[in-house]
Amino acid sequence: MSTLYARFAAHVDAALDALEAEGVLARGLDRKNVTVEPPRDPSHGDLATNAAMVLSKGAKMNPRALAEAIVAQLSALDEVVSAEIAGPGFINMRLAEAAWRSELAAIHGGGGDYGKSTLGAGKTVNVEYVSANPTGPMHMGHCRGAVVGDALASLLAFAGHDVIREYYVNDAGGQVDVLARSVHLRYREALGEAVGEIPEGLYPGDYLVPVGQKLAAAHGDAFVGKPESDWLILFRETAVAEMLVMIKDDLALLGIHHDVFASEAVVQAEKKPEAAEAFLRERGLVYDGELEAPKGEVDPDWEPVTLPLFRSTQFGDDQDRPIRKSNGSWTYFGADMAYHFQKAQKADALIDIWGADHAGTVKRIKAAVEALTGGTKPFDVKLVQMVRLLRGGEPVKMSKRAGNFVTLADVVREVGKDVVRFTMLTRKADAQMDFDFAKVVEASKDNPVFYVQYAHARICSLRRRIGEAGMNVEAAPNPDLLDAEDLELAKLAAQFPRIVESAALAREPHRIAFYLYDLAAAFHAFWNVGNDRVDRRILVVNNEVLTISRLYLADAIRQVIANGLSIMGVQPVQEM
RNA sequence: GCGCCCGUAGCUCAGUUGGAUAGAGCACGAGCCUUCUAAGCUUGGGGCCGCAGGUUCGAAUCCUGCCGGGCGCGCCA
């Protein structure tokens, strides 16, 4: 069943087709800016289209004249009660109540699929998110990107994309060697050596203790007093594998499961960077050259060196970027470039979710993707800002030196997965956010998590209560009993498919959260009318068919809330 | 020095990719609770959308330049 907004977009399209056929409107005009939306001011009507204004220039017509022609077409529709021209050429439509009743039927018919879109047209999108270094458990710094990436992936899937959820494991850089050395220390400790204070520069966290024990149990003292070359690779691979187990457990706490864990070491072992370099050299986009001296602070040790450089300046970067170090090994960028090339083989579009501290490297990687794919694969980097942790308004103290950062697992354990996920989506990703342990679990209207869940639970309890009142909750509703006041709620619910599409286009999952808050607020307001006016209650004593019909409305709201929450990865609650 | 992000009500933030009279919560004022769960509700005041230009039927939104704040600048990862 088509949703209301999709149907009216088609109606407007058909009206324009008809005008073309009549010769009123020039053929082949670009309609991509034509919209069908609810007007900001509800007194203007239910739906508005800007078609006349957008097309008037190309049609060489006065917008109002064109609007009149379109109005004539739209007025003929059964679902349209009135269509009027307003302002500079808006067409405002008022819909028959039947239109909103049919949308309620669409919600009930669609169930969990209501709001799904074909916008994505089955195109494959690779969403890479989290990608935390495999050197320890996840801490709160990773949390927001994880949730935003996961919700975005779900949103895109809901909007009709094939989605690949991917995690890039940085298991090839210096930080995993440091990890291996840290584990070696724990290994010696497990064999009885007193290692004392963990030296500066190594990872001090206790989570490495069991890894050392495991290696000690498996290998005994075979690697004690041996040169690093004997054990580094084994220790590194073991440690990374153990860290990934921890990270996956942490992600599972948030309900996050990636489809692909891509290893940087494998990318390198498979010579992907070499292939990318050759490809770019052929096109003159990699050359051997010297880096400019760093700007700003003067480094006395700076010496010019010849390195293979990617010509990212040709794509708007301010400097060409080295892809190999002077010792011949790959820079992070060199490998990352090849990794993105690899992802682009299996997807129509790429999205990366990064922490805002990596903003400085966006240009070079976008340049690289454009160069490697000839611009055929749209590539978007979404930056996610820092989260400030507060407890009752006071910043939570953390000491990185002591390694006692706030872990994601601790937070999830304290406030719950759903609260964490919802809260992380109550702000635009690129805006800084506060996460206050006290506020996110507060049971009040200020807390959107609670308020939305409460609306869902309220409808669930309503259903139970109607049953307890001796009415048959499975009886057939009569939607004609729903009056204009009731249908205002249906109008808001009917926005959901549009919100999904616009959020997917903008790649902004937070819009779902804001919409659900609005919908919940409208439902609570609707509910509260019943406090003063008994006839406006949903449960009307001695009137089963009216009660069931209003439950039908309320259940539609519940369904939309549930669908929105499912995109966010939040479990709707039945009671509170 | 350069780049990126941000600047909307006293505060925290939305603003449907350019639409009509810019919204919500908090805070402040007024009124309302023995409930289809008041875990609140109704209602009022409060805005040079940082500033100045530009683009056009139309700008908080796009462009340019300033002002102010944050982040980043590496053969690191």
Side-chain angles (χ1 to χ4, degrees), chain A residues 82-255:
Chain A
S82 71
E84 291 167 358
I85 304 168
F90 283 101
I91 298 169
N92 291 329
M93 287 174 275
R94 229 166 270 282
L95 304 192
E97 290 187 348
W100 304 110
R101 295 198 179 98
S102 80
E103 191 66 6
L104 289 175
I107 295 171
H108 281 278
D113 288 337
Y114 177 73
K116 279 193 180 169
S117 165
T118 54
L119 186 79
K123 289 207 166 140
T124 302
V125 183
N126 182 305
V127 185
E128 184 210 321
Y129 59 107
V130 189
S131 299
N133 283 341
T135 55
M138 290 188 58
H139 53 81
M140 276 306 278
H142 304 119
C143 179
R144 190 176 182 189
V147 171
V148 168
D150 200 55
L152 176 58
S154 298
L155 172 63
L156 293 173
F158 205 73
H161 283 99
D162 278 340
V163 176
I164 300 170
R165 297 163 194 258
E166 189 153 332
Y167 186 123
Y168 184 43
V169 184
N170 299 132
D171 53 1
Q175 81 283 4
V176 284
D177 289 339
V178 172
L179 177 73
R181 288 178 199 118
S182 308
V183 166
H184 191 261
L185 198 70
R186 294 299 191 181
Y187 157 79
R188 282 156 43 203
E189 184 182 49
L191 291 169
E193 191 175 325
V195 297
E197 195 88 339
I198 305 295
E200 186 76 36
L202 293 184
Y203 294 108
D206 291 341
Y207 55 87
L208 294 178
V209 171
V211 186
Q213 288 167 345
K214 200 165 179 174
L215 283 160
H219 303 285
D221 60 2
F223 301 111
V224 176
K226 294 288 160 61
E228 200 171 281
S229 56
D230 284 5
W231 49 263
L232 188 72
I233 291 174
L234 172 71
F235 275 52
R236 187 172 66 203
E237 287 178 353
T238 307
V240 166
E242 292 294 324
M243 294 304 105
L244 275 178
V245 169
M246 287 177 55
I247 287 169
K248 286 179 189 176
D249 285 349
D250 286 346
L251 288 170
L253 289 176
L254 278 177

Side-chain angles (χ1 to χ4, degrees), chain A residues 188-501:
Chain A
R188 282 156 43 203
E189 184 182 49
L191 291 169
E193 191 175 325
V195 297
E197 195 88 339
I198 305 295
E200 186 76 36
L202 293 184
Y203 294 108
D206 291 341
Y207 55 87
L208 294 178
V209 171
V211 186
Q213 288 167 345
K214 200 165 179 174
L215 283 160
H219 303 285
D221 60 2
F223 301 111
V224 176
K226 294 288 160 61
E228 200 171 281
S229 56
D230 284 5
W231 49 263
L232 188 72
I233 291 174
L234 172 71
F235 275 52
R236 187 172 66 203
E237 287 178 353
T238 307
V240 166
E242 292 294 324
M243 294 304 105
L244 275 178
V245 169
M246 287 177 55
I247 287 169
K248 286 179 189 176
D249 285 349
D250 286 346
L251 288 170
L253 289 176
L254 278 177
I256 294 174
H257 305 277
H258 289 83
D259 301 312
V260 177
F261 282 81
S263 153
E264 181 184 2
V266 170
V267 167
Q268 295 201 22
E270 290 178 350
K271 308 275 182 204
K272 297 284 174 68
E274 281 86 345
E277 179 181 4
F279 181 91
L280 292 172
R281 273 192 194 274
E282 260 173 51
R283 287 158 180 77
L285 294 171
V286 165
Y287 65 101
D288 295 316
E290 280 178 18
L291 276 181
E292 292 169 40
K295 299 287 190 322
E297 258 177 74
V298 184
D299 180 355
D301 298 333
W302 170 262
E303 287 171 23
V305 187
T306 298
L307 293 167
L309 300 179
F310 169 59
R311 216 179 276 284
S312 51
T313 47
Q314 199 165 309
F315 303 86
D317 203 357
D318 23 279
Q319 212 181 334
D320 290 339
R321 304 293 173 174
I323 59 171
R324 285 180 194 261
K325 305 177 198 172
S326 50
N327 66 8
S329 67
W330 296 101
T331 61
Y332 182 83
F333 171 65
D336 201 29
M337 174 182 87
Y339 167 58
H340 279 77
F341 195 26
Q342 169 181 301
K343 285 196 290 186
Q345 313 297 310
K346 294 186 212 148
D348 300 308
L350 304 179
I351 300 174
D352 284 4
I353 311 290
W354 288 3
D357 50 337
H358 290 85
T361 61
V362 171
K363 272 195 174 173
R364 74 190 66 162
I365 194 67
K366 286 194 134 180
V369 171
E370 193 178 337
L372 287 163
T373 67
T376 58
K377 301 291 167 99
F379 172 45
D380 205 1
V381 178
K382 300 295 279 184
L383 295 177
V384 174
Q385 276 289 352
M386 297 295 281
V387 177
R388 261 195 330 160
L389 285 179
L390 305 172
R391 197 178 282 280
E394 293 297 311
V396 173
K397 291 194 189 78
M398 276 178 280
S399 161
K400 266 194 179 167
R401 267 185 61 94
N404 64 349
F405 40 73
V406 176
T407 67
L408 183 144
D410 286 342
V411 175
V412 173
R413 228 167 274 138
E414 180 170 341
V415 304
K417 169 192 85 134
D418 290 334
V419 167
V420 171
R421 289 193 64 124
F422 198 113
T423 305
M424 290 294 159
L425 293 168
T426 54
R427 202 118 305 176
K428 223 171 12 186
D430 53 20
Q432 195 184 305
M433 167 159 94
D434 290 347
F435 184 97
D436 192 314
F437 285 91
K439 281 194 177 154
V440 296
V441 294
E442 197 174 277
S444 78
K445 188 176 180 178
D446 324 351
N447 181 2
V449 191
F450 166 79
Y451 207 55
V452 170
Q453 290 283 30
Y454 185 29
H456 188 274
R458 207 169 218 185
I459 296 167
C460 292
S461 83
L462 179 67
R463 168 174 282 275
R464 288 192 295 269
R465 205 165 258 268
I466 288 172
E468 285 159 19
M471 299 188 192
N472 176 14
V473 291
E474 303 304 330
N478 178 1
D480 289 340
L481 295 177
L482 298 173
D483 62 17
E485 214 170 326
D486 297 318
L487 291 174
E488 288 302 317
L489 266 187
K491 291 182 185 180
L492 195 51
Q495 312 271 345
F496 182 60
R498 299 180 55 243
I499 300 291
V500 168
E501 291 196 348

Side-chain angles (χ1 to χ4, degrees), chain A residues 33-90:
Chain A
N33 291 326
V34 174
T35 58
V36 179
E37 303 174 328
R40 278 203 179 150
D41 184 343
S43 71
H44 290 146
D46 296 317
L47 289 182
T49 178
N50 61 356
M53 290 183 294
V54 171
L55 299 178
S56 66
K57 205 173 203 179
K60 298 196 169 60
M61 288 177 75
N62 175 309
R64 290 191 71 98
L66 179 53
E68 274 175 42
I70 298 171
V71 160
Q73 298 282 333
L74 294 174
S75 301
L77 295 166
D78 285 344
E79 289 183 303
V80 176
V81 172
S82 71
E84 291 167 358
I85 304 168
F90 283 101

